[in-house]
Amino acid sequence: MKPIEIGDYRLNIPLIQGGMGIGVSRCSLAGAVAKEGGMGVISAAQVGYDHPDFRSRPEESNLLELPNQIRKAKKIAQGCGMVAVNLMAVTQLYKEYVECICEAGADAIVTGAGLPTSLPEYTHGFDTKIAPIVSTAKAMQVILKYWDRKYSRTADFLVVEGPKAGGHLGFSFEILAQLSSYDFDAEVRAIVAAKRVFEEKYQRRIPVFLAGGISDAQDVRHALSLGTDGVQVATRFVATEECDASDKYKEAYIQAKEEDVTIIHSPVGMPGRALRNAFVERMQAGQEKIVGCYNCLKACNPKTAPYCISQALINAVRGDLDDGLIFCGARVGEVNRMTTVKNVIRDLAPGWA
């Protein structure tokens, strides 16, 4: 197994733990993954949800808590791996969040749910590595060509997220309804080929990590066979002792069956994969009145949104599952017991050995 170099950083295992919000991947999970030599990722989405002033001052609470989470994660990591933050490009105050993350000393920012066109500008002067989450070669080229043209900068690594991932998805409802006929492997190979242009120009490697439906060592081997350098895994890490979610949230994963997974319409304007529960059934039946908007997402209009996604995710992570949205990957049905971060990595390890 060859370590992956990302600038001055080194991953001794080619693994990123996917960012999961709200509150599912904070310092405990991210720090534990980094300690094992991978990249642990804190989700910036409403990271201060349990701050005493969150209801009245959500953005201030988030920007106060985010540096605490980064510092705690790095302390847990003990100098190993990398500690990164996942930040959605549609986040309000995106620039302020980026600057907060960089000043707090995060090793990298992984960003999706939109085009992070200004990310190189906002990270200028910091050593924080940057990586877009993309699902197509076209999207990757749009971002990297823009960064190259405007900032003479390219990505430090790429996360390629497939249609079996959890949470928000960069695919149409039509593709998600016909996964068996969609050749995502071809898209991955196209991304790996297309990024070589930027590698040659900037004279350095841009590692590619494949995400979505990575559950076991065989999946890791398949990902590497497509020309990628490593994998991003999220769902497998939820039912671990180190995960920051409540025990009830973890138990929902353990009890889930394949048929419990559904695709929902998110107020973000994208499809999302989640567990079917009482909340999802109510939302599919009709719009919920939103009381007290957090003003967290650029793409969300509380007057037309079907529900408040922040409140739904906060309810879930706290254990109020009947009133919560439980994002998950397509293969959550394979999670059947509580375990540890170390054991999950051990399960995956034969794939990159």
Side-chain angles (χ1 to χ4, degrees):
M1 178 170 54
K2 184 178 180 181
I4 294 180
E5 306 288 344
I6 300 177
D8 296 332
Y9 300 102
R10 169 180 288 200
L11 297 181
N12 286 326
I13 55 173
L15 169 72
I16 299 175
Q17 159 254 311
M20 294 173 282
I22 291 170
V24 179
S25 64
R26 293 209 294 181
C27 63
S28 178
L29 178 56
V33 173
K35 185 178 179 181
E36 295 298 324
M39 184 186 299
V41 181
I42 297 166
S43 170
Q46 305 293 41
V47 68
Y49 77 93
D50 54 357
H51 191 278
D53 295 332
F54 178 73
R55 173 61 69 173
S56 59
R57 298 189 301 160
E59 297 297 357
E60 292 93 332
S61 298
N62 290 332
L63 291 169
L64 282 171
E65 184 59 31
L66 190 50
N68 291 335
Q69 292 292 323
I70 294 168
R71 285 192 288 267
K72 289 176 181 177
K74 299 198 84 167
K75 184 176 181 180
I76 294 169
Q78 297 179 2
C80 301
M82 294 175 68
V83 172
V85 176
N86 179 289
L87 180 65
M88 293 189 294
V90 293
T91 302
Q92 295 279 22
L93 304 182
Y94 184 76
K95 178 181 179 181
E96 288 81 355
Y97 275 92
V98 170
E99 292 173 348
C100 174
I101 292 165
C102 293
E103 289 169 358
D107 301 323
I109 294 175
V110 182
T111 190
L115 297 177
T117 51
S118 299
L119 187 57
E121 176 186 348
Y122 300 157
T123 56
H124 181 72
F126 295 96
D127 192 36
T128 309
K129 306 308 177 187
I130 58 175
I133 300 173
V134 297
S135 295
T136 64
K138 181 179 179 180
M140 185 213 71
Q141 289 175 314
V142 167
I143 295 168
L144 296 198
K145 284 181 179 179
Y146 185 89
W147 287 0
D148 174 48
R149 184 174 66 253
K150 186 164 185 178
Y151 303 109
S152 299
R153 178 83 155 85
T154 194
D156 294 295
F157 59 99
L158 297 169
V159 175
V160 179
E161 190 170 88
K164 293 183 180 180
H168 293 116
L169 303 166
F171 297 88
S172 67
F173 284 93
E174 290 73 23
I175 288 176
L176 295 173
Q178 302 177 32
L179 286 184
S180 59
S181 61
Y182 180 61
D183 185 7
F184 187 61
D185 285 1
E187 194 69 57
V188 175
R189 293 189 184 97
I191 291 170
V192 171
K195 60 102 177 184
R196 290 178 185 139
V197 172
F198 302 95
E199 288 181 322
E200 291 172 4
K201 179 168 183 176
Y202 289 90
Q203 289 296 294
R204 58 185 175 85
R205 282 188 57 75
I206 303 174
V208 175
F209 296 82
L210 182 60
I214 308 295
S215 184
D216 54 34
Q218 182 176 339
D219 300 324
V220 175
R221 282 191 289 270
H222 178 69
L224 300 182
S225 76
L226 300 176
T228 66
D229 301 277
V231 294
Q232 176 176 287
V233 178
T235 295
R236 282 293 310 274
F237 285 113
V238 171
T240 61
E241 295 174 4
E242 298 90 344
C243 178
D244 299 87
S246 68
D247 289 343
K248 287 185 177 180
Y249 191 100
K250 299 175 188 182
E251 188 62 25
Y253 268 53
I254 293 169
Q255 298 299 325
K257 304 291 189 296
E258 182 181 352
E259 57 268 26
D260 297 328
V261 180
T262 187
I263 302 297
I264 58 100
H265 290 260
S266 169
V268 175
M270 303 169 70
R273 179 172 281 110
L275 287 178
R276 184 182 288 107
N277 63 353
F279 173 80
V280 168
E281 290 177 356
R282 291 201 308 273
M283 294 312 100
Q284 290 175 337
Q287 183 176 353
E288 179 184 67
K289 184 178 180 180
I290 297 176
V291 179
C293 176
Y294 293 106
N295 193 35
C296 54
L297 301 171
K298 297 175 184 177
C300 182
N301 182 347
K303 294 181 180 180
T304 58
Y307 55 90
C308 175
I309 191 167
S310 280
Q311 193 59 58
L313 292 170
I314 290 170
N315 290 344
V317 78
R318 284 176 167 163
D320 181 5
L321 304 187
D322 287 341
D323 295 308
L325 179 62
I326 309 168
F327 275 149
C328 65
R331 296 175 65 181
V332 67
E334 298 175 25
V335 176
N336 52 30
R337 62 185 175 87
M338 276 293 295
T339 185
T340 64
V341 163
K342 186 182 290 289
N343 284 338
V344 171
I345 293 174
R346 186 178 294 133
D347 289 344
L348 299 170
W352 57 62

